[in-house]
Amino acid sequence: MLSEAQITLFVTHVGRFLQEHYPQHSRHVAVAVSGGVDSMLLMHLANELLRNGQLDSLRAITVNHGTRKGQRRECETVKFEAEKLELSCDIIDLNLGEVDNNIEAKLRKARHEALKASLTEGEELWMGHHLDDSWEWSQMQGARSSEVRSTMGIPMKSGVIVRPFMSVSRAQILNCATTISIRWMEDPTNNNVRFERNWVRSTMRPLVDARHPQFIKHYARRSQTVAEELGLALKT
């Protein structure tokens, strides 16, 4: 468990990372909240920034893909948790139904398009991706392409999308969320290895963890070095 001082350090670290690498970020933010631990903690962290005067406006957005039972109820839970923080929360219903081939890419594309379309002028979209997500993405892309750029993982900023958690790991997020008793939900499809990311997470990740427990730290530093050498690093 984290102490109160460690939680404060976590929030300060993420805020400092954001300010250092993207100081011109918008003060008007919409947080994409799936209901998982990453996005739920991000919503709480952004709310702290709002309360501290570091943001001018904040709201939550959650997406009901309409691909399985229970999704709408999960979105209502996200809305309830957002309103407990006195934040508004919009639910976007996509009603995609059954998606067969390349389901991950299709859902991601539809979700991103809907989220970006819902932004108001001057708003940026914050998403809860973190270092582990970036590593998993780099493994998937590396299996498909020999281009160096394709294996660099998920960017901290891409257009109107900003990912403040690109300086922390899944373990750090889970520790913080558990300590401050944040409510979150587990997507039942996360255990389905039909989806490539789930396969990487359940098959490759445990093997790497067991042999090289510091690999995420090395991955982050290596990716930053490569980005700087290619001229792709964010400019402050």
Side-chain angles (χ1 to χ4, degrees):
M1 290 292 187
L2 300 179
S3 65
E4 185 174 339
Q6 287 173 311
I7 294 171
T8 300
L9 182 62
F10 178 92
V11 174
T12 301
H13 170 71
V14 173
R16 186 183 297 124
F17 171 78
L18 185 64
Q19 189 61 30
E20 179 181 347
H21 292 280
Y22 185 36
Q24 68 273 32
H25 68 82
S26 175
R27 293 177 62 89
H28 303 280
V29 169
V31 181
V33 186
S34 66
V37 62
D38 312 324
S39 59
M40 293 293 273
L41 181 60
L42 181 59
M43 180 172 69
H44 280 260
L45 180 140
N47 189 55
E48 285 298 309
L49 297 179
L50 178 69
R51 292 172 57 191
N52 293 339
Q54 294 172 262
L55 295 178
D56 291 334
S57 67
L58 176 67
R59 66 189 180 99
I61 312 174
T62 187
V63 177
N64 171 24
H65 298 94
T67 55
R68 60 176 174 79
K69 292 182 178 180
Q71 285 182 326
R72 178 71 193 192
R73 184 171 64 253
E74 292 166 6
C75 290
E76 294 289 353
T77 299
V78 168
K79 184 178 178 70
F80 176 77
E81 293 297 320
E83 290 176 345
K84 282 169 58 177
L85 299 175
E86 299 183 350
L87 300 176
S88 66
C89 179
D90 296 321
I91 299 176
I92 299 176
D93 291 302
L94 295 182
N95 298 316
L96 297 177
E98 190 70 24
V99 181
D100 295 321
N101 297 326
N102 201 17
I103 184 173
E104 290 176 282
K106 290 178 180 178
L107 291 180
R108 182 170 57 252
K109 183 175 185 294
R111 179 172 62 252
H112 282 201
E113 288 178 350
L115 287 168
K116 289 190 284 189
S118 72
L119 296 177
T120 61
E121 185 175 357
E123 268 189 329
E124 287 181 335
L125 181 67
W126 284 14
M127 304 186 81
H129 299 103
H130 44 72
L131 286 173
D132 298 68
D133 289 324
S134 185
W135 177 82
E136 290 162 5
W137 180 255
S138 74
Q139 299 309 300
M140 293 188 294
Q141 293 300 99
R144 302 188 189 108
S145 173
S146 57
E147 282 192 24
V148 174
R149 296 185 185 210
S150 69
T151 62
M152 288 180 58
I154 302 173
M156 177 210 173
K157 182 181 184 303
S158 178
V160 295
I161 296 177
V162 180
R163 300 177 175 92
F165 279 168
M166 277 301 162
S167 61
V168 293
S169 68
R170 179 182 291 121
Q172 290 172 312
I173 289 171
L174 186 60
N175 279 341
C176 187
T178 301
T179 300
I180 60 179
S181 300
I182 284 179
R183 181 183 182 187
W184 73 85
M185 296 163 284
E186 296 291 348
D187 186 339
T189 63
N190 285 343
N191 296 320
N192 188 345
V193 293
R194 167 193 175 194
F195 304 128
E196 188 174 10
R197 179 167 290 183
N198 294 343
W199 179 83
V200 170
R201 186 174 297 167
S202 63
T203 305
M204 293 180 63
R205 178 62 193 269
L207 296 175
V208 179
D209 269 335
R211 190 77 179 221
H212 303 289
Q214 298 296 315
F215 82 96
I216 282 292
K217 178 180 71 176
H218 300 315
Y219 164 75
R221 291 177 177 173
R222 183 174 62 250
S223 296
Q224 180 63 26
T225 299
V226 172
E228 290 172 353
E229 290 177 352
L230 293 176
L232 299 176
L234 287 169
K235 301 296 190 299
T236 58

Short mmCIF file of all heavy atoms in Angstrom, two decimals, residues 30-34 59-65 90-92 94 107-120 123-129 160-161:
data_model
loop_
_atom_site.label_atom_id
_atom_site.label_comp_id
_atom_site.label_asym_id
_atom_site.label_seq_id
_atom_site.Cartn_x
_atom_site.Cartn_y
_atom_site.Cartn_z
N ALA A 30 -11.34 16.79 -21.45
CA ALA A 30 -12.34 15.72 -21.36
C ALA A 30 -11.56 14.42 -21.16
O ALA A 30 -10.63 14.13 -21.91
CB ALA A 30 -13.17 15.65 -22.63
N VAL A 31 -11.91 13.66 -20.14
CA VAL A 31 -11.23 12.40 -19.86
C VAL A 31 -12.06 11.24 -20.40
O VAL A 31 -13.25 11.13 -20.09
CB VAL A 31 -11.00 12.21 -18.34
CG1 VAL A 31 -10.27 10.89 -18.08
CG2 VAL A 31 -10.21 13.36 -17.76
N ALA A 32 -11.42 10.39 -21.21
CA ALA A 32 -12.08 9.20 -21.70
C ALA A 32 -12.02 8.14 -20.60
O ALA A 32 -10.92 7.73 -20.19
CB ALA A 32 -11.40 8.69 -22.96
N VAL A 33 -13.17 7.70 -20.10
CA VAL A 33 -13.21 6.78 -18.96
C VAL A 33 -13.93 5.50 -19.36
O VAL A 33 -15.13 5.51 -19.64
CB VAL A 33 -13.91 7.43 -17.75
CG1 VAL A 33 -13.80 6.52 -16.54
CG2 VAL A 33 -13.34 8.81 -17.45
N SER A 34 -13.17 4.41 -19.37
CA SER A 34 -13.76 3.12 -19.74
C SER A 34 -14.39 2.43 -18.54
O SER A 34 -15.24 1.55 -18.68
CB SER A 34 -12.69 2.21 -20.33
OG SER A 34 -11.73 1.88 -19.34
N ARG A 59 -14.50 17.30 -17.73
CA ARG A 59 -15.67 16.44 -17.82
C ARG A 59 -15.22 15.05 -18.22
O ARG A 59 -14.08 14.85 -18.66
CB ARG A 59 -16.71 16.98 -18.81
CG ARG A 59 -16.25 17.00 -20.25
CD ARG A 59 -17.23 17.75 -21.15
NE ARG A 59 -16.79 17.78 -22.54
CZ ARG A 59 -17.25 16.96 -23.48
NH1 ARG A 59 -18.17 16.05 -23.18
NH2 ARG A 59 -16.81 17.04 -24.72
N ALA A 60 -16.09 14.09 -18.07
CA ALA A 60 -15.79 12.70 -18.42
C ALA A 60 -16.63 12.29 -19.63
O ALA A 60 -17.73 12.80 -19.84
CB ALA A 60 -16.06 11.78 -17.25
N ILE A 61 -16.08 11.37 -20.41
CA ILE A 61 -16.81 10.77 -21.53
C ILE A 61 -16.59 9.27 -21.47
O ILE A 61 -15.46 8.80 -21.29
CB ILE A 61 -16.32 11.28 -22.90
CG1 ILE A 61 -16.19 12.80 -22.95
CG2 ILE A 61 -17.26 10.79 -24.00
CD1 ILE A 61 -15.58 13.32 -24.23
N THR A 62 -17.66 8.51 -21.61
CA THR A 62 -17.52 7.06 -21.65
C THR A 62 -18.27 6.52 -22.86
O THR A 62 -19.26 7.11 -23.30
CB THR A 62 -18.04 6.41 -20.34
OG1 THR A 62 -17.74 5.03 -20.34
CG2 THR A 62 -19.53 6.63 -20.15
N VAL A 63 -17.78 5.41 -23.41
CA VAL A 63 -18.31 4.88 -24.66
C VAL A 63 -18.93 3.51 -24.46
O VAL A 63 -18.29 2.60 -23.90
CB VAL A 63 -17.21 4.79 -25.74
CG1 VAL A 63 -17.76 4.16 -27.02
CG2 VAL A 63 -16.63 6.17 -26.03
N ASN A 64 -20.16 3.35 -24.90
CA ASN A 64 -20.83 2.06 -24.93
C ASN A 64 -20.73 1.53 -26.36
O ASN A 64 -21.42 2.00 -27.25
CB ASN A 64 -22.30 2.22 -24.52
CG ASN A 64 -23.10 0.95 -24.74
OD1 ASN A 64 -22.55 -0.14 -24.77
ND2 ASN A 64 -24.41 1.10 -24.91
N HIS A 65 -19.85 0.55 -26.57
CA HIS A 65 -19.66 0.02 -27.92
C HIS A 65 -20.88 -0.76 -28.41
O HIS A 65 -21.09 -0.90 -29.61
CB HIS A 65 -18.45 -0.91 -27.97
CG HIS A 65 -17.15 -0.23 -27.64
ND1 HIS A 65 -16.63 -0.22 -26.37
CD2 HIS A 65 -16.30 0.46 -28.42
CE1 HIS A 65 -15.49 0.44 -26.39
NE2 HIS A 65 -15.27 0.88 -27.60
N ASP A 90 -20.69 12.33 -20.19
CA ASP A 90 -21.49 12.00 -21.37
C ASP A 90 -21.27 10.54 -21.74
O ASP A 90 -20.14 10.05 -21.75
CB ASP A 90 -21.09 12.88 -22.55
CG ASP A 90 -21.38 14.35 -22.31
OD1 ASP A 90 -22.43 14.65 -21.71
OD2 ASP A 90 -20.55 15.20 -22.70
N ILE A 91 -22.36 9.85 -22.06
CA ILE A 91 -22.28 8.48 -22.53
C ILE A 91 -22.53 8.47 -24.03
O ILE A 91 -23.55 8.98 -24.51
CB ILE A 91 -23.32 7.58 -21.84
CG1 ILE A 91 -23.06 7.54 -20.32
CG2 ILE A 91 -23.28 6.16 -22.41
CD1 ILE A 91 -24.10 6.75 -19.54
N ILE A 92 -21.57 7.93 -24.78
CA ILE A 92 -21.70 7.81 -26.23
C ILE A 92 -22.10 6.38 -26.56
O ILE A 92 -21.38 5.44 -26.24
CB ILE A 92 -20.39 8.16 -26.95
CG1 ILE A 92 -19.97 9.60 -26.64
CG2 ILE A 92 -20.53 7.95 -28.46
CD1 ILE A 92 -18.63 9.99 -27.23
N LEU A 94 -22.52 3.66 -29.32
CA LEU A 94 -22.14 3.36 -30.69
C LEU A 94 -23.00 2.26 -31.31
O LEU A 94 -23.23 2.26 -32.51
CB LEU A 94 -20.67 2.93 -30.75
CG LEU A 94 -19.65 4.01 -30.36
CD1 LEU A 94 -18.23 3.47 -30.50
CD2 LEU A 94 -19.81 5.25 -31.22
N LEU A 107 -12.87 -1.43 -33.23
CA LEU A 107 -13.42 -0.81 -32.03
C LEU A 107 -12.62 0.43 -31.65
O LEU A 107 -13.19 1.45 -31.27
CB LEU A 107 -13.44 -1.81 -30.87
CG LEU A 107 -14.41 -2.98 -30.98
CD1 LEU A 107 -14.29 -3.87 -29.75
CD2 LEU A 107 -15.83 -2.51 -31.15
N ARG A 108 -11.30 0.33 -31.73
CA ARG A 108 -10.45 1.47 -31.38
C ARG A 108 -10.72 2.65 -32.31
O ARG A 108 -10.84 3.80 -31.88
CB ARG A 108 -8.98 1.06 -31.45
CG ARG A 108 -8.01 2.17 -31.06
CD ARG A 108 -6.59 1.65 -30.91
NE ARG A 108 -6.11 1.00 -32.13
CZ ARG A 108 -5.93 -0.31 -32.26
NH1 ARG A 108 -6.21 -1.11 -31.24
NH2 ARG A 108 -5.50 -0.83 -33.38
N LYS A 109 -10.82 2.38 -33.60
CA LYS A 109 -11.07 3.45 -34.59
C LYS A 109 -12.42 4.11 -34.33
O LYS A 109 -12.53 5.34 -34.29
CB LYS A 109 -11.03 2.88 -36.01
CG LYS A 109 -11.21 3.91 -37.11
CD LYS A 109 -11.03 3.26 -38.48
CE LYS A 109 -11.08 4.29 -39.60
NZ LYS A 109 -12.40 4.92 -39.73
N ALA A 110 -13.47 3.30 -34.13
CA ALA A 110 -14.81 3.85 -33.89
C ALA A 110 -14.84 4.65 -32.59
O ALA A 110 -15.45 5.73 -32.53
CB ALA A 110 -15.83 2.71 -33.84
N ARG A 111 -14.19 4.13 -31.55
CA ARG A 111 -14.16 4.82 -30.26
C ARG A 111 -13.44 6.16 -30.37
O ARG A 111 -13.93 7.19 -29.90
CB ARG A 111 -13.50 3.92 -29.22
CG ARG A 111 -13.38 4.54 -27.84
CD ARG A 111 -12.91 3.53 -26.82
NE ARG A 111 -11.58 3.01 -27.10
CZ ARG A 111 -11.32 1.78 -27.54
NH1 ARG A 111 -12.30 0.93 -27.76
NH2 ARG A 111 -10.08 1.37 -27.75
N HIS A 112 -12.27 6.16 -30.98
CA HIS A 112 -11.49 7.40 -31.10
C HIS A 112 -12.23 8.44 -31.93
O HIS A 112 -12.22 9.64 -31.58
CB HIS A 112 -10.13 7.10 -31.71
CG HIS A 112 -9.15 6.51 -30.74
ND1 HIS A 112 -7.79 6.56 -30.92
CD2 HIS A 112 -9.34 5.87 -29.57
CE1 HIS A 112 -7.18 5.98 -29.90
NE2 HIS A 112 -8.11 5.55 -29.07
N GLU A 113 -12.84 8.02 -33.01
CA GLU A 113 -13.58 8.96 -33.85
C GLU A 113 -14.73 9.59 -33.08
O GLU A 113 -14.97 10.80 -33.17
CB GLU A 113 -14.10 8.26 -35.11
CG GLU A 113 -13.00 7.93 -36.11
CD GLU A 113 -13.54 7.20 -37.33
OE1 GLU A 113 -14.74 6.79 -37.30
OE2 GLU A 113 -12.78 7.03 -38.31
N ALA A 114 -15.46 8.77 -32.32
CA ALA A 114 -16.60 9.27 -31.55
C ALA A 114 -16.15 10.20 -30.44
O ALA A 114 -16.76 11.25 -30.19
CB ALA A 114 -17.40 8.10 -30.98
N LEU A 115 -15.07 9.84 -29.75
CA LEU A 115 -14.57 10.67 -28.65
C LEU A 115 -14.09 12.02 -29.17
O LEU A 115 -14.42 13.07 -28.59
CB LEU A 115 -13.43 9.94 -27.93
CG LEU A 115 -13.84 8.77 -27.04
CD1 LEU A 115 -12.61 7.95 -26.63
CD2 LEU A 115 -14.57 9.26 -25.80
N LYS A 116 -13.33 12.01 -30.23
CA LYS A 116 -12.80 13.27 -30.78
C LYS A 116 -13.92 14.15 -31.33
O LYS A 116 -13.87 15.37 -31.20
CB LYS A 116 -11.74 12.99 -31.84
CG LYS A 116 -10.43 12.46 -31.24
CD LYS A 116 -9.31 12.40 -32.25
CE LYS A 116 -9.45 11.25 -33.19
NZ LYS A 116 -8.23 11.08 -34.04
N ALA A 117 -14.93 13.51 -31.91
CA ALA A 117 -16.05 14.27 -32.46
C ALA A 117 -16.86 14.94 -31.36
O ALA A 117 -17.54 15.96 -31.62
CB ALA A 117 -16.95 13.36 -33.29
N SER A 118 -16.80 14.42 -30.14
CA SER A 118 -17.58 14.97 -29.04
C SER A 118 -16.89 16.13 -28.33
O SER A 118 -17.50 16.78 -27.47
CB SER A 118 -17.89 13.87 -28.01
OG SER A 118 -16.72 13.52 -27.30
N LEU A 119 -15.63 16.40 -28.67
CA LEU A 119 -14.90 17.47 -28.01
C LEU A 119 -15.44 18.84 -28.43
O LEU A 119 -15.85 19.04 -29.57
CB LEU A 119 -13.41 17.40 -28.35
CG LEU A 119 -12.65 16.15 -27.86
CD1 LEU A 119 -11.20 16.22 -28.35
CD2 LEU A 119 -12.71 16.02 -26.35
N THR A 120 -15.40 19.77 -27.50
CA THR A 120 -15.76 21.14 -27.81
C THR A 120 -14.49 21.89 -28.20
O THR A 120 -13.37 21.41 -27.99
CB THR A 120 -16.43 21.83 -26.62
OG1 THR A 120 -15.51 21.84 -25.50
CG2 THR A 120 -17.69 21.09 -26.21
N GLU A 123 -10.90 21.91 -26.29
CA GLU A 123 -10.74 20.77 -25.38
C GLU A 123 -9.70 19.79 -25.90
O GLU A 123 -9.54 19.62 -27.11
CB GLU A 123 -12.06 20.01 -25.22
CG GLU A 123 -12.93 20.46 -24.08
CD GLU A 123 -14.10 19.53 -23.86
OE1 GLU A 123 -14.60 18.91 -24.83
OE2 GLU A 123 -14.55 19.43 -22.71
N GLU A 124 -9.03 19.13 -24.97
CA GLU A 124 -8.17 18.01 -25.30
C GLU A 124 -8.72 16.76 -24.63
O GLU A 124 -9.41 16.84 -23.62
CB GLU A 124 -6.73 18.25 -24.83
CG GLU A 124 -6.00 19.27 -25.69
CD GLU A 124 -4.56 19.50 -25.25
OE1 GLU A 124 -4.26 19.28 -24.06
OE2 GLU A 124 -3.76 19.92 -26.09
N LEU A 125 -8.41 15.62 -25.24
CA LEU A 125 -8.91 14.34 -24.75
C LEU A 125 -7.79 13.61 -24.01
O LEU A 125 -6.77 13.28 -24.60
CB LEU A 125 -9.39 13.48 -25.92
CG LEU A 125 -9.98 12.12 -25.59
CD1 LEU A 125 -11.29 12.27 -24.83
CD2 LEU A 125 -10.18 11.30 -26.87
N TRP A 126 -7.98 13.38 -22.72
CA TRP A 126 -6.99 12.65 -21.92
C TRP A 126 -7.39 11.19 -21.87
O TRP A 126 -8.55 10.84 -21.62
CB TRP A 126 -6.90 13.22 -20.51
CG TRP A 126 -6.14 14.52 -20.44
CD1 TRP A 126 -5.81 15.32 -21.47
CD2 TRP A 126 -5.65 15.14 -19.25
NE1 TRP A 126 -5.11 16.43 -21.01
CE2 TRP A 126 -5.01 16.33 -19.65
CE3 TRP A 126 -5.68 14.81 -17.90
CZ2 TRP A 126 -4.40 17.21 -18.75
CZ3 TRP A 126 -5.09 15.67 -16.98
CH2 TRP A 126 -4.45 16.85 -17.41
N MET A 127 -6.40 10.32 -22.10
CA MET A 127 -6.63 8.88 -22.05
C MET A 127 -5.65 8.24 -21.08
O MET A 127 -4.56 8.76 -20.83
CB MET A 127 -6.50 8.28 -23.45
CG MET A 127 -7.43 8.94 -24.47
SD MET A 127 -7.42 8.14 -26.10
CE MET A 127 -8.54 6.77 -25.78
N GLY A 128 -6.02 7.09 -20.51
CA GLY A 128 -5.29 6.48 -19.42
C GLY A 128 -4.21 5.49 -19.79
O GLY A 128 -3.78 4.70 -18.94
N HIS A 129 -3.73 5.49 -21.05
CA HIS A 129 -2.66 4.57 -21.42
C HIS A 129 -1.39 4.87 -20.61
O HIS A 129 -1.10 6.02 -20.30
CB HIS A 129 -2.34 4.70 -22.91
CG HIS A 129 -3.49 4.38 -23.80
ND1 HIS A 129 -4.26 5.34 -24.42
CD2 HIS A 129 -4.02 3.18 -24.15
CE1 HIS A 129 -5.21 4.76 -25.13
NE2 HIS A 129 -5.09 3.46 -24.97
N VAL A 160 -5.20 15.83 -30.64
CA VAL A 160 -5.90 16.32 -29.45
C VAL A 160 -5.86 15.32 -28.30
O VAL A 160 -6.36 15.60 -27.22
CB VAL A 160 -7.38 16.66 -29.77
CG1 VAL A 160 -7.47 17.81 -30.75
CG2 VAL A 160 -8.12 15.42 -30.29
N ILE A 161 -5.25 14.15 -28.53
CA ILE A 161 -5.18 13.12 -27.49
C ILE A 161 -3.90 13.28 -26.67
O ILE A 161 -2.81 13.40 -27.23
CB ILE A 161 -5.23 11.71 -28.11
CG1 ILE A 161 -6.57 11.48 -28.81
CG2 ILE A 161 -5.01 10.65 -27.03
CD1 ILE A 161 -6.67 10.14 -29.52
#
